[in-house]
Amino acid sequence: MRARNFGINSALAAGTALALLASSVQARTVHVLYGFQNVSDGAYPLAGLIKGRSGNLYGTTSQGGTGGCEGGCGTVFKLAPDGTKTILYSFAGGTDGSHPQGLVMDKAGNLYGTTASGGGSGCFDNAGCGTVFEMGASGTKTVLHAFKGANDGGEPLGGLIIDGKGNLYGSAAEGGGGCDSGYGCGAVFRVAPDGKEKVIYGFAGPGQGDGEWPGAVRLARDSAGNIYGTTQSGGAHSYGTVFRLSRDGTETVLYSFTGGSDGGGPYAGVILDAAGNLYGTTPYDGDLNCDYGEGCGTVFKIASDGTETTLYTFTDTGANASPMAPLVMDSAGNLYGTTYGFSPGGVFKLSPSGTEKLLYTFTGGTDGGQPLGGLFMDKRGRLYGTTQSGGGGNCNNGFGCGAVFELRD
């Protein structure tokens, strides 16, 4: 099984890391904080948001800006609490990279992220294999690493995580040395503060059982330094895996999806709770009567001993289908996430008892539509996110350029 998709506009990304916060959420109203207006303004934000100490929100658009790519090469933007949006950087599509994914911030306020392509030669008709970049508080951007493909990895679609020493960890959908296609089955990598990159693990691919194509994974890391993530395909049944990498690079497949009631093709990464349990989503399978046999996805839990539990199975009722982004969790154990289809998508809440509630259904108009990035929850329990379409702008044949939204009481 190879990666399935929903006809997304650009290289895909997702999500944000786990947030264990005090507030739970009841019925909510969406407030559009910003609607992208045209290509030069930035278009199609596929990843989630992060928040700085001053209350500014930071994110990326996968396309748009003033770069030379068709439809724009993407931007990094800042959104102030008063709604003022500033483009911090517009990618040119050359050695600086193109099509940026999610961001992470260090204690000094520096931003780090990946681009799915660009960075030099090789990959994608010699358009570059992607980059890892740093952006200082002043807006100065530096390419820390340009991927070369093959054993080095390429097409880093997921965001990054950062440890206490400033090392960055991420996944690349291609490269890593495995598979027979020449493109590789994907890799997990580390980039040191000085820009030195090391492939921690390269997936071997079909027939090896270790997984293949860690699509838009944002990794999780525990206090012992173990790394957790997912692959969209591969594993014992070819429907994807949840894996753990130890500090020495040893991979353990914690769970292989069967493509049945347990779901399949996990696109986003996983989050960790204090007890070491993992939580995530699959956009496919589950209820195989849904979506003409493809299934509408699941929310799952994997205990520290590898036991998998399907917490919720999605149906095709309204927007309640196909979760493609990672989850966030509050201190009461409620999980929150987004659904992508079949309508313009929605935001859901799942209680510890397994009760699911659709908090909001997007219309695809000025409020946005088709959220792909994960949610960010602040200390007041407010949820923030992006949609790749809608927002009222003049892009995508009238379907909009995307939006930044807030859900609150």
Side-chain angles (χ1 to χ4, degrees):
M1 189 185 88
R2 194 59 174 164
R4 293 175 283 186
N5 65 72
F6 293 94
I8 298 165
N9 289 300
S10 180
L12 301 178
T16 60
L18 171 63
L20 291 173
L21 297 163
S23 299
S24 62
V25 185
Q26 304 302 321
R28 296 195 171 222
T29 302
V30 72
H31 296 262
V32 176
L33 301 179
Y34 191 80
F36 295 91
Q37 295 303 300
N38 49 53
V39 169
S40 62
D41 189 36
Y44 314 133
L46 302 183
L49 302 164
I50 60 174
K51 197 171 189 178
R53 293 179 182 176
S54 59
N56 297 312
L57 294 170
Y58 297 87
T60 62
T61 63
S62 65
Q63 295 185 41
T66 57
C69 310
E70 182 179 358
C73 303
T75 70
V76 176
F77 67 86
K78 177 180 74 174
L79 189 63
D82 65 1
T84 302
K85 194 211 74 164
T86 303
I87 293 180
L88 299 178
Y89 189 81
S90 186
F91 290 86
T95 56
D96 67 331
S98 59
H99 307 307
Q101 310 302 302
L103 299 172
V104 66
M105 181 182 286
D106 66 16
K107 294 179 181 180
N110 299 302
L111 298 170
Y112 301 87
T114 61
T115 64
S117 57
S121 60
C123 304
F124 310 114
D125 296 325
N126 222 28
C129 305
T131 70
V132 174
F133 67 85
E134 174 186 2
M135 183 171 294
S138 64
T140 302
K141 179 185 163 296
T142 303
V143 173
L144 296 177
H145 181 73
F147 291 92
K148 302 175 182 64
N151 291 343
D152 183 47
E155 197 179 7
L157 295 180
L160 300 167
I161 58 174
I162 188 169
D163 67 16
K165 296 181 179 180
N167 297 299
L168 301 165
Y169 301 83
S171 63
E174 306 286 359
C179 293
D180 298 325
S181 66
Y183 292 103
C185 300
V188 175
F189 62 85
R190 178 182 69 223
V191 176
D194 62 2
K196 184 177 181 180
E197 186 250 11
K198 178 180 180 181
V199 172
I200 300 173
Y201 187 80
F203 292 92
Q208 304 303 311
D210 66 336
E212 177 186 0
W213 209 74
V217 173
R218 183 187 291 273
L219 302 168
R221 189 170 182 269
D222 65 20
S223 58
N226 298 304
I227 291 173
Y228 302 83
T230 63
T231 63
Q232 193 174 358
S233 57
H237 310 287
S238 300
Y239 284 91
T241 70
V242 177
F243 65 85
R244 179 181 66 219
L245 291 179
S246 63
R247 292 175 64 92
D248 65 2
T250 301
E251 193 229 23
T252 301
V253 174
L254 298 177
Y255 188 75
S256 288
F257 292 92
T258 69
S261 60
D262 60 340
Y267 184 77
V270 291
I271 61 173
L272 274 163
D273 69 12
N277 299 302
L278 300 168
Y279 301 84
T281 62
T282 71
Y284 311 108
D285 304 307
D287 180 359
L288 298 183
N289 293 315
C290 180
D291 191 21
Y292 305 102
E294 286 284 295
C296 294
T298 67
V299 176
F300 65 84
K301 171 185 174 181
I302 296 180
S304 56
D305 63 359
T307 302
E308 190 267 353
T309 303
T310 300
L311 301 178
Y312 187 76
T313 302
F314 290 88
T315 68
D316 58 0
T317 304
N320 218 356
S322 303
M324 297 190 72
L327 302 163
V328 293
M329 179 185 283
D330 66 20
S331 62
N334 298 298
L335 296 167
Y336 304 87
T338 60
T339 55
Y340 183 83
F342 303 97
S343 70
V347 179
F348 68 88
K349 170 187 175 182
L350 185 64
S351 73
S353 66
T355 301
E356 193 260 4
K357 181 178 182 180
L358 195 60
L359 299 177
Y360 187 78
T361 302
F362 292 95
T363 69
T366 56
D367 63 336
Q370 297 177 309
L372 275 169
L375 299 168
F376 169 80
M377 181 181 283
D378 68 13
K379 294 179 180 179
R380 297 175 294 177
R382 294 182 177 183
L383 296 168
Y384 299 85
T386 64
T387 66
Q388 71 144 350
S389 63
N394 185 25
C395 295
N396 200 21
N397 297 320
F399 288 101
C401 308
V404 176
F405 66 88
E406 174 191 15
L407 278 181
R408 63 188 184 201
D409 296 339

